[in-house]
Amino acid sequence: MSVIALSWWQLGLAATLVLALAACTHFARLGLGKSLLVAAARTAIQLTLVGLVLETLFSVGSLPWVALMGVAMLLLAGREVMARQKYRLRGGWSFTVGTAAMFISAFSVTVLTLTVIIGPTPWYTPQYAIPLLGMLLGNTMTGVALALDRLTEGVWRQRQLVENRLMLGQTWIEACGDIRRDAMRSGLMPIINAMAAAGIVSLPGMMTGQILSGTAPALAVKYQILIMFTIAAGTGFGTFVAVSVASRRLFDRRERLRLDRLQPGNRG
Amino acid sequence: MAPGQIVCLSGPSGSGKSRLLRAVADLEPHGGVVRLGDRDQDSLAGHRWRQSVMMVPAETAWWFDTVGEHLHKPMPDALGALGFPDDAAEWAVSRLSSGEKQRLALIRALSRDPQALLLDEPTANLDDDTTLQVEDWLQSYIAEHQCPTLWVAHREDQIQRVAAKHFRIDGARLREQEVEQ
């Protein structure tokens, strides 16, 4: 089985569907037409560029270039985590905490999966390494961003409660324990829901892609299960690290709550 | 401050009374030196210090569902002395009035056996009769347990009733005021 090649005019047909939708929303005065078209154009341009990068990377396939790509993806993800915070840690801590958490979890889980589980030769074969890292980083990013946002906003809103608990002689861990639990939960909920609903409500995107490109469904399913498990581990550990470090940073050496270490971000 | 001594602190709002208490409780960075007996604030971990030198804020927050869960140990005598029925420990926190919260916050703090007290307007939300009741109870507790107490108060009559010393924050200075003994 081999996949049927798509040519640009065939994509053009799909694009006319989007154009038709944009026209409809324009005439219905929904005010969405422009952003829909911009987003569609961005999809086309960004994915084409990534395609070019990947083509080049696949043809070179050397470790330094794969590593460079990985680091670039990581830094972009770190920036995205920071941009999604309503309240950020001052002095670059938001970026550092998010990026470090994703590095520890997504990178190590990717390398572990490549070397121990899938085992391509060489282990950094870009065909396996880049999509795997991309899936892991994307999901870990969502988890870490949600959890950090929940944590800082929770502490900001419940300042009085946290300080009341401190006044009664509780340690900083006890005083913000509920907020940390909440943050961890909101970071892990998306992947838990995705695992619970996989195959029933939706066919996961990666599996669909593999099946479309001619992989036997049984094999595609195995890859999907592998991906789900690694995403759960990566997101979980990443969220855990991020919440632990960030919440420690919200208290100082004397276990005082230091909201002056937060600053309102641009979001919302 | 001597053991069992009540020192009242007054001053216009915004003059930094609460901040002073927060600094003594080590909830805010400060440049002063605070000692309990011969122990420096810095020689204890933050939470150990605050277990000993306990602040009761004017506005209280509650995190469990019932009153009793917030108490370190059952306090039937204290509940009775402040006019609560026996089953007050099972009350839902969401149904407490501000005056009830303020009195229960005192009990919540004292259930942890602090060695010194920092009270931020402990009777601000109470009517006159209850205020006297709380003053009596606090005074006898403080005398019995020999807790040095910093008490932020607004009303002159209260200061005259409870204080051994009275300081007024006046700009950047602390002025000692006369107290009738």
Side-chain angles (χ1 to χ4, degrees):
Chain A
M1 269 198 291
S2 76
V3 66
I4 304 168
L6 274 183
S7 64
W8 287 106
W9 68 267
Q10 286 164 315
L11 284 182
L13 283 181
T16 54
L17 288 177
V18 179
L19 280 177
L21 176 64
C24 283
T25 55
H26 177 72
F27 289 121
R29 298 180 195 284
L30 295 175
L32 282 170
K34 198 177 159 198
S35 48
L36 183 69
L37 288 181
V38 171
R42 281 189 60 167
T43 297
I45 295 168
Q46 288 167 0
L47 289 182
T48 309
L49 287 178
V50 166
L52 288 178
V53 171
L54 288 183
E55 292 263 357
T56 324
L57 197 64
F58 281 21
S59 65
V60 180
S62 69
L63 182 57
W65 285 105
V66 176
L68 186 69
M69 180 74 182
V71 170
M73 287 161 73
L74 175 71
L75 292 179
L76 283 174
R79 213 191 70 92
E80 187 64 23
V81 165
M82 192 183 68
R84 289 189 197 174
Q85 307 298 307
K86 192 165 179 191
Y87 302 99
R88 289 177 200 156
L89 288 166
R90 280 179 202 277
W93 276 83
S94 260
F95 179 78
T96 315
V97 169
T99 312
M102 286 187 290
F103 178 74
I104 293 171
S105 63
F107 262 63
S108 49
V109 172
T110 305
V111 172
L112 194 76
T113 312
L114 284 173
T115 51
V116 179
I117 302 177
I118 305 182
T121 35
W123 65 270
Y124 52 83
T125 306
Q127 183 200 341
Y128 290 92
I130 296 297
L132 198 60
L133 183 64
M135 296 284 279
L136 270 163
L137 266 182
N139 285 280
T140 313
M141 179 184 81
T142 309
V144 168
L146 279 174
L148 280 181
D149 192 45
R150 192 63 174 261
L151 177 79
T152 48
E153 193 176 345
V155 172
W156 187 277
R157 278 173 194 271
Q158 299 182 47
R159 161 196 193 133
Q160 200 191 20
L161 197 142
V162 174
E163 292 212 312
N164 265 223
R165 299 183 76 152
L166 288 177
M167 283 174 199
L168 291 171
Q170 296 193 344
T171 61
W172 69 272
I173 296 182
E174 292 172 287
C176 69
D178 292 342
I179 299 175
R180 276 159 53 116
R181 253 190 301 283
D182 253 17
M184 282 293 301
R185 195 175 297 141
S186 56
L188 277 177
M189 239 29 224
I191 180 61
I192 292 179
N193 288 339
M195 285 201 291
I200 300 177
V201 184
S202 64
L203 279 188
M206 192 195 94
M207 191 175 106
T208 317
Q210 275 193 309
I211 293 175
L212 274 178
S213 72
T215 309
L219 182 58
V221 162
K222 279 187 201 152
Y223 265 97
Q224 187 62 46
I225 293 174
L226 175 71
I227 286 290
M228 287 295 213
F229 285 173
T230 51
I231 286 177
T235 311
F237 290 123
T239 308
F240 190 75
V241 170
V243 168
S244 305
V245 176
S247 60
R248 184 71 192 90
R249 177 69 195 159
L250 288 170
F251 294 84
D252 65 10
R253 205 171 39 81
R254 301 290 305 158
E255 298 179 49
R256 306 173 185 123
L257 178 63
R258 294 294 295 272
L259 286 187
D260 54 318
R261 290 179 177 176
L262 285 180
Q263 64 184 8
N266 303 325
R267 201 207 78 185
Chain B
M1 289 172 56
Q5 191 180 46
I6 298 178
V7 174
C8 276
L9 200 61
S10 66
S13 47
S15 61
K17 306 181 294 282
S18 300
R19 282 196 71 193
L20 178 62
L21 291 197
R22 288 167 56 84
V24 175
D26 209 6
L27 283 164
E28 231 169 88
H30 60 90
V33 178
V34 188
R35 255 188 227 107
L36 177 66
D38 52 4
R39 308 209 61 169
D40 255 356
Q41 197 176 56
D42 287 343
S43 70
L44 287 172
H47 69 277
R48 307 285 299 180
W49 173 264
R50 289 187 280 269
Q51 258 163 32
S52 310
V53 181
M54 195 164 290
M55 174 165 175
V56 184
E59 292 284 325
T60 59
W62 302 75
W63 52 96
F64 292 125
D65 290 335
T66 66
V67 172
E69 290 170 279
H70 292 84
L71 303 182
H72 194 60
K73 60 183 185 204
M75 301 281 284
D77 296 344
L79 285 170
L82 293 188
F84 289 103
D86 291 338
D87 66 345
E90 280 114 59
W91 285 3
V93 165
S94 53
R95 295 173 58 187
L96 296 176
S97 72
S98 57
E100 285 168 341
K101 274 188 189 163
Q102 193 158 32
R103 282 177 287 161
L104 288 169
L106 289 168
I107 298 177
R108 177 175 82 174
L110 296 187
S111 73
R112 289 168 169 79
D113 294 316
Q115 295 170 38
L117 284 173
L118 308 165
L119 308 176
D120 194 355
E121 302 194 42
T123 60
N125 294 313
L126 305 181
D127 61 45
D128 288 348
D129 288 343
T130 326
T131 298
L132 289 176
Q133 201 178 16
V134 169
E135 278 173 19
D136 280 348
W137 176 71
L138 275 174
Q139 279 179 292
S140 64
Y141 182 93
I142 289 164
E144 188 190 333
H145 293 81
Q146 290 293 295
C147 294
T149 302
L150 256 180
W151 183 321
V152 171
H154 259 309
R155 288 166 47 176
E156 191 60 32
D157 56 324
Q158 177 172 70
I159 295 171
Q160 295 301 336
R161 281 195 300 270
V162 301
K165 280 186 185 161
H166 172 207
F167 292 93
R168 198 177 159 72
I169 295 185
D170 187 7
R173 253 180 308 197
L174 212 53
R175 256 183 234 281
E176 178 151 15
Q177 312 272 312
E178 289 290 311
V179 185
E180 301 161 22
Q181 287 301 323

